Amino acid sequence: MEHTSGAAGRRRHTLVSVFPQARPTTWEPQRVEVARTTVDDAVDVLSGLRFTALTGAGISTDSGIPDYRGPDSPPRNPMTYQQFVGDEEFRRHYWARNHVGWQHVDRTAPNAGHRALVELEERALLTGIITQNVDLLHEDAGSRNVIDLHGRYDRVICLTCGRVISRTHLAERLTELNPGFLESVGDVADVEIAPDADAVIESTAHFKPAPCEFCGGVLKPEIVYFGENVPRERVDRAFALVDSADALLVAGSSLTVMSGLRFVRHAAEAGKPVVIVNRGITRGDKYATVKIDSGTSDVLTELVRRLPPRA
């Protein structure tokens, strides 16, 4: 692991991560001029319509979970499914870091952006949410119709027998196997956290991962890694949710990978308005009816305030 000194004297990290959204891509950010760029424009386009939301890491930054591709994010290289299942050292490194980082995500709380989507759903303006995040903050906020496209951080699956256990239960087993480990790396607030509950720590060589307690098989977070496909049934439900709405609202996603971009393309090809709210350029800007270059909390809260009830 490499470290360089930053201006403020803090270490920056080049890390291997397993965030499912961080898939390699040949896309380079290119600015596309979108004619409509204000909240006024979004209100004008969405008024009287029912819309589906597609969310990414940017909606959770105000909850303290860093944006994976934000302008201040350190470089990250995704761990592949093949690396995880085929290399014991990769698994050891992953579980050691995750054992620290998942607790940070577990104690985060929904922010104003999550709560705004709940209110839009309660007012029957929002048909549901397709989220690329694994943090469950939409469910915690009270959203009822959520498709966790890339899985959820709170569950672990055995790749041999298929048993699913809670991440909380696994944490208890990892703590028993590695007494004093959490204390040795310091408070989680002082450790850089990645959006999949990963964390950067100095050394993982002495960490002991836990095998499946039922069959001894390999345990893996129930999230989609690079090299895996999102389950077909989940993708079909997401397309159906887009089809059920009159428009698509993208909140906090760069749409860099096809996993999310395909829904934007699908909506645009069907002639549905696409409203994108995201800091910086997105891969879907050329499909946008409205593109607001801003954070999600303020914009979504403003939409709640200004969108009229449906007739």
Side-chain angles (χ1 to χ4, degrees):
M1 191 176 296
E2 300 173 358
H3 304 289
T4 58
S5 296
R10 297 186 62 184
R11 290 177 301 183
R12 292 185 64 81
H13 306 269
T14 300
L15 63 148
V16 175
S17 185
V18 294
F19 194 39
Q21 289 90 312
R23 304 186 175 194
T25 175
T26 57
W27 176 70
E28 294 293 335
Q30 296 180 345
R31 185 168 299 280
V32 175
E33 294 300 325
V34 182
R36 311 186 74 177
T37 60
T38 69
V39 176
D40 287 339
D41 293 325
V43 171
D44 180 56
V45 167
L46 295 175
S47 290
L49 303 182
R50 297 177 74 236
F51 49 89
T52 293
L54 171 65
T55 68
I59 198 171
S60 294
T61 55
D62 289 344
S63 294
I65 302 177
D67 187 345
Y68 206 90
R69 291 191 178 84
D72 298 322
S73 297
R76 295 181 168 97
N77 298 307
M79 182 183 294
T80 68
Y81 176 78
Q82 290 75 16
Q83 287 172 326
F84 183 89
V85 300
D87 191 317
E88 184 178 355
E89 290 304 311
F90 271 103
R91 292 196 297 275
R92 182 195 316 279
H93 189 57
Y94 172 80
W95 282 121
R97 293 159 54 190
N98 184 271
H99 189 45
V100 179
W102 91 281
Q103 298 177 75
H104 172 79
V105 177
D106 195 52
R107 66 191 184 200
T108 56
N111 61 54
H114 298 105
R115 293 191 293 272
L117 292 180
V118 173
E119 186 163 347
L120 290 170
E121 184 181 29
E122 290 175 345
R123 289 166 53 186
L125 298 178
L126 182 69
T127 62
I129 299 169
I130 305 164
T131 185
Q132 300 169 89
N133 301 336
V134 298
D135 55 33
L136 298 182
L137 291 179
H138 288 299
E139 288 90 341
D140 291 345
S143 291
R144 295 185 297 275
N145 189 15
V146 182
I147 297 173
D148 296 300
L149 192 65
H150 292 144
R152 356 176 347 148
Y153 84 97
D154 67 332
R155 295 198 298 222
V156 178
I157 187 169
C158 175
L159 297 179
T160 301
C161 70
R163 297 283 188 99
V164 176
I165 64 172
S166 73
R167 185 61 183 80
T168 301
H169 177 62
L170 180 60
E172 295 170 354
R173 294 184 60 209
L174 290 175
T175 299
E176 291 175 1
L177 287 170
N178 300 276
F181 177 78
L182 291 177
E183 292 77 7
S184 72
V185 299
D187 187 85
V188 70
D190 298 325
V191 180
E192 184 185 351
I193 305 298
D196 63 341
D198 203 353
V200 179
I201 57 180
E202 289 291 339
S203 174
T204 62
H206 61 292
F207 190 83
K208 298 178 182 178
C212 175
E213 59 194 306
F214 301 101
C215 74
V218 172
L219 295 177
K220 172 187 168 292
E222 200 178 25
I223 61 176
V224 177
Y225 282 20
F226 172 58
E228 285 187 281
N229 293 318
V230 177
R232 184 73 245 175
E233 176 272 337
R234 200 179 299 167
V235 174
D236 290 342
R237 283 194 294 120
F239 275 120
L241 191 57
V242 175
D243 289 338
S244 73
D246 306 310
L248 180 65
L249 170 66
V250 179
S253 176
S254 66
L255 300 170
T256 302
V257 296
M258 189 56 62
S259 184
L261 181 64
R262 56 184 161 184
F263 301 112
V264 174
R265 286 182 174 177
H266 184 74
E269 289 169 358
K272 300 175 188 287
V274 175
V275 174
I276 299 177
V277 181
N278 188 70
R279 287 193 176 99
I281 299 170
T282 86
R283 196 177 184 182
D285 286 355
K286 62 183 177 181
Y287 303 107
T289 311
V290 178
K291 165 63 189 305
I292 303 174
D293 194 337
S294 184
T296 56
S297 292
D298 290 342
V299 173
L300 294 179
T301 300
E302 192 68 8
L303 289 180
V304 168
R305 188 179 73 83
R306 297 175 58 183
L307 281 176
R310 293 181 68 246

